[in-house]
Amino acid sequence: MTGRRRRAHGEGSVYEQRPGVWAAVIDLGWIDGKRKRKYVYAKSEAEAVRKRDELRRQLQLGVDLTAQPRTVEAWLTEWLRDVKAHDGTRPSTLARYRLAVTKHLVPGLGRVKLDRLTPREVQRFLTGLRGTLAPASIIKVHAVLRVALADAERMDLVARNVAKAAKPPALGRVERRALTPEEAKQLLSVLTGDRLESLFVLALATGLRRAELLGLRWSDVDLPGKALFVRQTVQRTDRGLEFVPPKTHRSSRPLPLSALAVRALEAQRVRQAKERLAAGELWSDFGLVFASTIGTPMEPRNVNRRFEQLRAVAGLDWLHLHDLR
């Protein structure tokens, strides 16, 4: 080849394409009836050899070198649309994935070539989130990237999951304070007579999650047997409020009810009967224990908002709804 120095370096050749530009090529074999080759370029022969050897390593690991180059943004978009939207991921989890992708991962790493992403770049990205996000939120963003790259590795789009090598910030241990007997009495006193009194009392008595309480149906409650089952939850998704299966396997066994919990449920049945009578034809019967004034599922954020108002009255500004668990 005139004007080019071609040398064999194991499998695949390296040659000077033009002064100052070296090329390396490896043969990928016959694919779809055509001979496929992969080229890389460098400023020196040694660098071309290194890049060629890296291609060979990726090929041995099963990476599809014929795939069209993707940016991190392109892969994350494809991953959400074609993988996570169809693999049984919970709607609420999928919504959190989308938020992490659109608000943090795409702005921070979206332009990087997927197969060129390095642990150092991921680490620099995570470090850059400090000061704008809490450590717990950074850990969640890192987890989304790690899951997305795990699927890319599984599909032979990358040689390894570089997010595994990066370290998110340490999550400091937070001591959760429990209500003292006096504080519990003060809270119960403030709850008395409130429309959501029974919901908050049941949360305190059973430790159920907000989503589990809002998805609870009368058919899941056995008052004579003093037990209930958790068989569905209510969550806000991109499509609105939806009933989804619970995170745990509580549905397979009854949850015992204390006398306090039984009284709360009995009071809720009376309260709801009055609301149902007042709503008349507007009532939508979802069979929910805790529903809106017309029987439909309750907005989870409104439940939290009301609890925050009541805790303030009780002088317990530090208390969160999930602290009742």
Side-chain angles (χ1 to χ4, degrees):
M1 179 179 296
T2 305
R4 296 183 180 179
R5 291 182 289 162
R6 183 179 293 272
R7 301 179 184 177
H9 292 266
E11 295 180 9
S13 60
V14 176
Y15 60 91
E16 189 175 28
Q17 188 180 54
R18 61 178 185 272
V21 177
W22 285 79
V25 58
I26 62 172
D27 191 345
L28 303 180
W30 291 88
I31 301 175
D32 296 331
K34 296 181 180 180
R35 194 81 180 191
K36 297 288 185 178
R37 296 179 176 83
K38 183 73 174 181
Y39 293 83
V40 289
Y41 303 92
K43 294 181 179 180
S44 68
E45 181 179 8
E47 179 68 7
V49 170
R50 188 194 67 77
K51 288 188 174 182
R52 191 282 317 275
D53 290 345
E54 174 61 20
L55 284 180
R56 290 173 55 193
R57 187 183 73 84
Q58 292 185 21
L59 191 62
Q60 290 171 353
L61 289 172
V63 176
D64 184 4
L65 298 180
T66 65
Q68 290 297 316
R70 291 174 173 83
T71 61
V72 171
E73 178 180 7
W75 167 242
L76 290 174
T77 301
E78 178 183 343
W79 176 69
L80 287 173
R81 183 189 65 235
D82 298 339
V83 180
K84 303 311 292 179
H86 306 285
D87 68 352
T89 298
R90 295 165 64 89
S92 59
T93 301
L94 187 58
R96 289 197 297 271
Y97 283 178
R98 287 198 180 103
L99 181 62
V101 167
T102 57
K103 193 171 182 179
H104 303 293
L105 291 171
V106 167
L109 297 171
R111 295 183 180 181
V112 181
K113 294 291 186 183
L114 180 63
D115 59 354
R116 300 290 179 86
L117 186 64
T118 65
R120 184 181 178 187
E121 287 174 309
V122 176
Q123 190 66 63
R124 189 184 302 121
F125 163 71
L126 295 175
T127 301
L129 293 178
R130 295 173 183 265
T132 59
L133 289 180
S137 297
I138 298 176
I139 290 172
K140 290 177 181 178
V141 171
H142 177 241
V144 173
L145 180 62
R146 192 174 66 247
V147 173
L149 293 183
D151 281 329
E153 182 181 17
R154 178 174 58 83
M155 295 180 181
D156 297 333
L157 299 178
V158 294
R160 63 175 179 140
N161 185 346
V162 296
K164 288 183 177 180
K167 293 184 178 181
L171 185 60
R173 184 175 180 179
V174 178
E175 294 292 338
R176 291 180 60 182
R177 180 185 165 192
L179 283 169
T180 66
E182 287 302 317
E183 287 172 335
K185 290 179 182 178
Q186 178 64 18
L187 179 62
L188 290 173
S189 175
V190 170
L191 294 177
T192 301
D194 190 82
R195 181 177 180 274
L196 299 184
E197 174 188 358
S198 295
L199 187 152
F200 297 136
V201 171
L202 194 62
L204 182 63
T206 63
L208 289 177
R209 296 180 173 89
R210 180 188 64 180
E212 294 170 338
L213 290 164
L214 297 183
L216 187 64
R217 296 166 296 191
W218 287 113
S219 60
D220 301 323
V221 177
D222 178 9
L223 283 178
K226 297 182 179 180
L228 62 76
F229 291 86
V230 178
R231 294 192 171 112
Q232 68 175 16
T233 66
V234 169
Q235 293 186 358
R236 163 71 57 187
T237 71
D238 294 339
R239 296 182 293 273
L241 293 178
E242 292 189 351
F243 295 108
V244 298
K247 287 184 177 180
T248 65
H249 298 288
R250 287 180 179 172
S251 59
S252 63
R253 62 183 185 274
L255 179 67
L257 296 175
S258 65
L260 177 64
V262 170
R263 288 197 300 271
L265 287 166
E266 289 174 341
Q268 176 61 15
R269 176 165 281 175
V270 173
R271 181 181 291 109
Q272 190 177 89
K274 294 178 180 178
E275 290 183 344
R276 182 168 188 161
L277 185 62
E281 294 182 355
L282 294 177
W283 185 267
S284 297
D285 192 5
F286 284 82
L288 297 172
V289 174
F290 302 108
S292 71
T293 54
I294 58 172
T296 55
M298 293 180 62
E299 173 58 58
R301 289 173 294 185
N302 291 342
V303 174
N304 279 70
R305 190 176 297 115
R306 183 54 183 160
F307 185 77
E308 290 167 3
Q309 294 169 346
L310 293 170
R311 76 179 183 188
V313 175
L316 302 171
D317 291 335
W318 57 270
L319 184 65
H320 298 281
L321 182 56
H322 63 259
D323 290 330
L324 299 181
R325 299 184 58 216

